[in-house]
Amino acid sequence: MEAMDSLLSSCKSSDQHTRLNLFVGSFLKMNLLLLECPDVSLQGYAVTSFVKFADIPEDIPSYHRSYDQFIDKFSMMCHNNDPDPATRKAIRRAGMMGIRGIIRKTGSDDLQVNIWEQVHMDKIVPSLIFNMQQTEDLNRG
């Protein structure tokens, strides 16, 4: 995964973005596998890696790319109920970071999946509101 992160980081010019598209499918599959891993540290690493990917601009449309599984996983992470408060907080924070990454990657690009569709918002909005309420409850208590 570190090698993939290094390759992503090295793609700065538009010429390199073309090559990046050849690599993205494998990167996203690997990232999704790490997100499904029960090891919290690997999940956190996958989210961090996805957020780095989300910050890379792309010049070529990616009509075939879908982030549905990422939306599902990040939303589930936002609702994590681990008995350990520190682990629960870390997983929920990672889920929110992942959602932010998806919005950053797709939100303003007409060539990407429409993140604002009802099916996606039905997962994203409740996840964010849930965490906002949890923060308010902690501050009151």
Side-chain angles (χ1 to χ4, degrees):
M1 197 63 194
E2 289 178 18
M4 291 182 157
D5 279 345
S6 294
L7 283 171
L8 280 176
S9 299
S10 68
C11 293
K12 302 290 184 201
S13 71
S14 62
D15 179 45
Q16 292 170 334
H17 291 169
T18 305
R19 290 188 209 124
L20 175 67
N21 270 341
L22 300 173
F23 164 72
V24 169
S26 298
F27 168 78
L28 291 174
K29 285 179 189 174
M30 175 66 76
N31 205 291
L32 195 56
L33 287 173
L34 286 177
L35 285 171
E36 293 172 352
C37 178
D39 185 334
V40 175
S41 63
L42 290 177
Q43 289 178 12
Y45 189 78
V47 170
T48 302
S49 183
F50 183 85
V51 169
K52 288 179 188 175
F53 162 72
D55 287 337
I56 297 172
E58 294 183 68
D59 298 334
I60 298 173
S62 54
Y63 304 111
H64 64 283
R65 198 176 305 154
S66 172
Y67 296 102
D68 293 350
Q69 291 178 298
F70 286 95
I71 293 169
D72 291 343
K73 182 61 181 171
F74 293 146
S75 295
M76 285 191 305
M77 291 171 77
C78 286
H79 293 272
N80 182 276
N81 213 12
D82 193 275
D84 177 41
T87 302
R88 181 173 56 239
K89 182 178 180 180
I91 293 172
R92 288 180 180 178
R93 181 176 288 145
M96 289 187 293
M97 286 176 48
I99 288 174
R100 183 186 71 182
I102 288 175
I103 292 170
R104 183 175 280 163
K105 188 69 171 173
T106 63
S108 62
D109 189 348
D110 294 337
L111 302 175
Q112 297 278 356
V113 64
N114 188 352
I115 194 71
W116 309 115
E117 288 179 2
Q118 186 73 33
V119 67
H120 301 304
M121 288 292 107
D122 284 346
K123 297 171 188 168
I124 293 171
V125 172
S127 298
L128 298 176
I129 290 173
F130 175 78
N131 280 282
M132 289 168 49
Q133 182 177 2
Q134 295 299 310
T135 302
E136 288 177 5
D137 291 347
L138 289 173
N139 290 339
R140 275 190 242 138

